[in-house]
Amino acid sequence: MASKQCPSLPTELWTQILQNLNDDEDLPSLWKSCRHVSTAFRDTAESIFRERHLPKTRFYFYLGARGLDVNQTDEEDYEERLQVCHLAAGFDFLSLSEDGITATFAVNTDDLPEILQPRARKRLREYVGNMDIEAPKHTVQIRRDVNDGPIPGLSIDYEKLTLSCNWRELFGAFYTEEYLCDKFTAKALEKRATWLEELKAQVDRKELNPMEVMKKALTAFEDDSKDCRKLARRARICWQFKIHDGTEWDFGRDGDEAVERGCLAKLQKIRFSASLEVFSDEESGDDDGDEETESDEDEDDEWEDTDSDGDN
C-alpha cells in the first residue's frame, strides 16, 4: 500500500511557521538547516534574516588607546584626566543595495564623536590593511550573538565612515560558527548524562548536598560552554586561513594559547553585555523584501573540529 504524502503547504504558511523561530538560539539552525531544505525555504529564511536581523547587525572596531577623554574639563582631577580611554568605532545598519547583496553600515557618531574621527580613520586604515585572523580587533554582533569572525567583501569609505559587505556571506560565516558551537555543546551534554545521573543518585542517597551538586553542575556546564566556543572558533580560524591563502592552520602547531585566552575573555565580556540588550521584533527599518536575487554559493559543510592539542 502506497504511503500517503502530506499535502504541500503554501509559501505564506511556511513563512509564518519559520517566522516563529524568534529565539536567538533558533537562528543558527534557521540559517544552516531550514535555509537548505528548498528554494522556497531559502527565500523565506533569507527574507526573515534580511528584514528582521540584518537591521540588528553591528560591527565594532577596537582601535587602541585614545588618550584623555574628550569630555573631561580642565577643572577635573588630574588623576581622572590621566585615565586612558579606548578608541572604538561602531557601525550600525544603514541600507541594502538594490541587488540585495551588499549591506552598508554607518559609524555611530554617539560612540565616535567628530573630534575623534580623524584618528579613527587613520587606525581603521592600518587595521583593515593588516587584519589578524587569530587576534582580530573587531567584533560582529547579530542581535545578542557576538563573535570576531570574518567580514566578507569588506569595503570601508574612510571619508564617510561607512562600511559595506556581502551580508549573506557574513551571515554564512557567522552562523556556521554558532551552529558548530551548538553541535559541540550537544555532544558535551551527551557525555555529561551519565555523570549527572550519578550525581542525582548520590543526592537521592543523601550522600551529597543538593546545593553542592547544583554548583558542580553549573561549573561543569560553564566549562563545557567555554570549551565549545573555543573549539568552534578554532575551526573557523582554520577555515579562514585556508580561504585566505591556502594555509593549513593547526592550533597545536601554529596557535598561541595566551592570545587565544585574551580573545576569548574579551568576547565573553562583550557577549554578556549583548545578552542584556532588548529588541522588539516589531521594530523594522525600510522593507527591502521586494528584490529577487540568487543566493550566493552555500557555505562549505560545517568546519571540521581542527583542535589538535587534545583538550576537550
Side-chain angles (χ1 to χ4, degrees), residues 42 56 78 153 193 211 228 254 292 298:
R42 182 201 67 197
K56 309 257 187 333
Y78 179 73
M211 291 304 296
C228 293
D254 308 312
E292 293 291 335
D298 294 335

Side-chain angles (χ1 to χ4, degrees), residues 233-281:
R233 186 175 181 272
R234 288 180 184 179
R236 182 256 297 165
I237 290 173
C238 180
W239 170 80
Q240 276 187 266
F241 272 109
K242 191 171 183 179
I243 294 297
H244 178 64
D245 59 7
T247 301
E248 294 289 342
W249 183 85
D250 177 86
F251 182 81
R253 182 188 63 227
D254 308 312
D256 186 315
E257 289 189 7
V259 169
E260 181 184 62
R261 279 196 301 272
C263 291
L264 290 172
K266 177 190 73 175
L267 284 170
Q268 185 176 9
K269 291 180 181 178
I270 296 170
R271 285 193 184 102
F272 176 76
S273 297
S275 72
L276 303 178
E277 294 192 37
V278 178
F279 296 104
S280 168
D281 287 327

Side-chain angles (χ1 to χ4, degrees), residues 15-286:
T15 300
Q16 291 181 28
I17 294 172
L18 294 179
Q19 283 178 339
N20 284 325
L21 298 173
N22 291 324
D23 295 337
D24 293 345
E25 55 265 29
D26 294 332
L27 300 185
S29 292
L30 181 59
W31 183 271
K32 286 293 296 177
S33 298
C34 297
R35 184 168 154 269
H36 296 296
V37 170
S38 66
T39 301
F41 268 53
R42 182 201 67 197
D43 293 343
T44 298
E46 288 188 2
S47 72
I48 292 170
F49 279 95
R50 181 179 63 240
E51 295 163 15
R52 184 179 296 172
H53 306 309
L54 182 58
K56 309 257 187 333
T57 299
R58 299 170 183 159
F59 301 95
Y60 290 97
F61 290 81
Y62 305 95
L63 304 172
R66 75 184 190 192
L68 298 179
D69 193 327
V70 296
N71 295 318
Q72 290 176 328
T73 64
D74 291 338
E75 289 77 20
E76 290 179 302
D77 292 339
Y78 179 73
E79 288 186 3
E80 290 184 1
R81 291 190 292 109
L82 286 181
Q83 288 180 354
V84 175
C85 298
H86 294 279
L87 183 63
F91 290 81
D92 296 326
F93 178 74
L94 179 64
S95 63
L96 189 65
S97 61
E98 290 186 7
D99 61 9
I101 295 175
T102 303
T104 299
F105 301 77
V107 77
N108 187 326
T109 53
D110 291 336
D111 295 336
L112 188 69
E114 187 174 354
I115 194 172
L116 293 175
Q117 290 179 14
R119 192 179 306 178
R121 289 187 180 95
K122 179 177 182 294
R123 294 190 185 177
L124 269 172
R125 286 182 186 274
E126 293 170 353
Y127 173 62
V128 172
N130 189 31
M131 295 178 79
D132 188 336
I133 293 177
E134 288 187 69
K137 295 179 180 178
H138 73 268
T139 55
V140 182
Q141 178 176 344
I142 303 177
R143 297 183 72 91
R144 298 176 191 87
D145 291 326
V146 181
N147 69 31
D148 57 357
I151 309 175
L154 173 64
S155 176
I156 295 180
D157 185 323
Y158 294 99
E159 189 59 37
K160 296 180 180 178
L161 282 175
T162 58
L163 178 159
S164 299
C165 67
N166 184 313
W167 77 270
R168 288 189 183 87
E169 292 184 3
L170 173 75
F171 278 41
F174 187 95
Y175 283 115
T176 296
E177 182 171 348
E178 294 299 309
Y179 187 76
L180 189 58
C181 182
D182 289 347
K183 287 183 66 175
F184 286 145
T185 301
K187 290 180 180 179
L189 286 173
E190 287 180 12
K191 292 180 179 178
R192 290 284 183 188
T194 302
W195 177 72
L196 290 171
E197 286 295 327
E198 177 57 29
L199 286 180
K200 181 179 180 300
Q202 288 180 287
V203 171
D204 292 341
R205 294 192 300 266
K206 302 187 183 306
E207 296 173 1
L208 287 177
N209 181 289
M211 291 304 296
E212 183 182 339
V213 168
M214 186 177 294
K215 183 178 178 181
K216 279 186 177 182
L218 290 174
T219 300
F221 292 146
E222 182 181 5
D223 291 342
D224 287 346
S225 177
K226 290 179 180 178
D227 285 343
C228 293
R229 280 282 175 195
K230 176 176 67 177
L231 294 175
R233 186 175 181 272
R234 288 180 184 179
R236 182 256 297 165
I237 290 173
C238 180
W239 170 80
Q240 276 187 266
F241 272 109
K242 191 171 183 179
I243 294 297
H244 178 64
D245 59 7
T247 301
E248 294 289 342
W249 183 85
D250 177 86
F251 182 81
R253 182 188 63 227
D254 308 312
D256 186 315
E257 289 189 7
V259 169
E260 181 184 62
R261 279 196 301 272
C263 291
L264 290 172
K266 177 190 73 175
L267 284 170
Q268 185 176 9
K269 291 180 181 178
I270 296 170
R271 285 193 184 102
F272 176 76
S273 297
S275 72
L276 303 178
E277 294 192 37
V278 178
F279 296 104
S280 168
D281 287 327
E282 282 66 48
E283 290 180 278
S284 60
D286 296 333

